[in-house]
Amino acid sequence: MSHYPVYLTSIYSQCISASDIIVVLVETPIDEKTGLHNLAPLFKCIDMVKENIEDKKPIVCISSTVLPGTAQQVQDRLGNKAIVVSLPSQATIGRIFKQLLTEPFSVIIGTQDGSNTAEARIVEDLWIKCGRDFAAYNSHFEFTVTNYANAELSKILFLTYLNHQVSYGNFIAELCENVPGGDAEVVLNAMSKDPRMNTAYMHRGIGAGGP
């Protein structure tokens, strides 16, 4: 980004104290015992942020995959030291630059009461500026401002939908293998030509790992 230099550092305390916007994107792996997301890494990061906030009251954006209610827990944890915004990441791994340059890009912003707050507008402006810096003049950002729960649900259900596509693709492949003359590639290709079908992730391969 030509206008905004990028710095890499391991001294996170200086970054936190100087930042107006902090994006938290850490792993939240599925706990084998409970089947739920393990939020310990997220809360550890949030506690680290809280310890290093000084005079500024930053916007803390939660982009990790979390269950509904997490953003409110983070806001309660931070108290009045920061404003929490749910910012579920919708980027496709390996295609983020293509998405920014050529495709409509959906940005979901969750605020505590679902209103288009000043913090939500600041986050919108950040996305627009980032798009310009990547020369993404053809990008069209589609912003949705809603409450915490809807923003968190949108990511979980979006990932679940993609997992269903992967699983269905594997089901089709297994079915075709057991039908004389069946060819999964031909079937999937034929299905993809119907405008009612979204087959972007409907391919045979490794099973879905869960949202």
Side-chain angles (χ1 to χ4, degrees):
M1 294 190 285
S2 58
H3 302 295
Y4 305 96
V6 176
Y7 300 99
L8 301 179
T9 179
S10 59
I11 307 175
Y12 55 80
S13 58
Q14 293 179 1
C15 294
I16 294 170
S17 62
S19 295
D20 296 311
I21 301 175
I22 300 169
V23 179
V24 178
L25 182 56
V26 297
E27 63 177 355
T28 51
I30 299 297
D31 189 296
E32 294 182 359
K33 294 181 179 179
T34 65
L36 302 175
H37 290 278
N38 180 2
L39 299 179
L42 174 65
F43 289 141
K44 180 179 179 181
C45 182
I46 293 301
D47 289 342
M48 180 179 67
V49 168
K50 184 177 181 179
E51 289 173 4
N52 290 280
I53 292 175
E54 295 182 356
D55 298 328
K56 292 186 177 183
K57 189 174 183 178
I59 300 170
V60 177
C61 301
I62 306 300
S63 291
S64 298
T65 302
V66 296
L67 293 174
T70 303
Q72 185 59 56
Q73 291 182 52
V74 172
Q75 182 63 79
D76 294 341
R77 206 176 187 100
L78 289 172
N80 61 1
K81 299 193 73 173
I83 299 295
V84 173
V85 168
S86 178
L87 186 66
S89 171
Q90 304 287 37
T92 304
I93 295 175
R95 297 184 67 246
I96 179 63
F97 289 106
K98 183 178 180 180
Q99 283 183 293
L100 282 172
L101 289 168
T102 64
E103 302 172 5
F105 199 90
S106 172
V107 179
I108 300 172
I109 300 171
T111 61
Q112 193 168 36
D113 62 0
S115 62
N116 191 16
T117 61
E119 292 76 23
R121 293 192 292 275
I122 290 171
V123 173
E124 286 184 12
D125 189 53
L126 174 66
W127 270 104
I128 293 170
K129 286 181 178 178
C130 286
R132 289 173 183 164
D133 283 336
F134 281 113
Y137 298 112
N138 293 324
S139 287
H140 174 59
F141 291 97
E142 298 178 352
F143 293 104
T144 301
V145 178
T146 183
N147 59 27
Y148 286 158
N150 288 333
E152 292 163 330
L153 279 169
S154 69
K155 182 169 185 177
I156 289 288
L157 295 175
F158 173 75
L159 293 176
T160 302
Y161 173 71
L162 296 185
N163 286 336
H164 278 306
Q165 281 200 328
V166 173
S167 298
Y168 192 52
N170 284 332
F171 167 75
I172 290 172
E174 184 177 356
L175 181 63
C176 290
E177 288 174 359
N178 288 281
V179 174
D183 187 322
E185 295 299 323
V186 173
V187 171
L188 288 168
N189 183 59
M191 293 173 63
S192 69
K193 294 179 180 179
D194 189 315
R196 296 171 297 175
M197 296 291 294
N198 181 353
T199 59
Y201 286 80
M202 202 179 295
H203 304 285
R204 58 181 177 178
I206 299 174

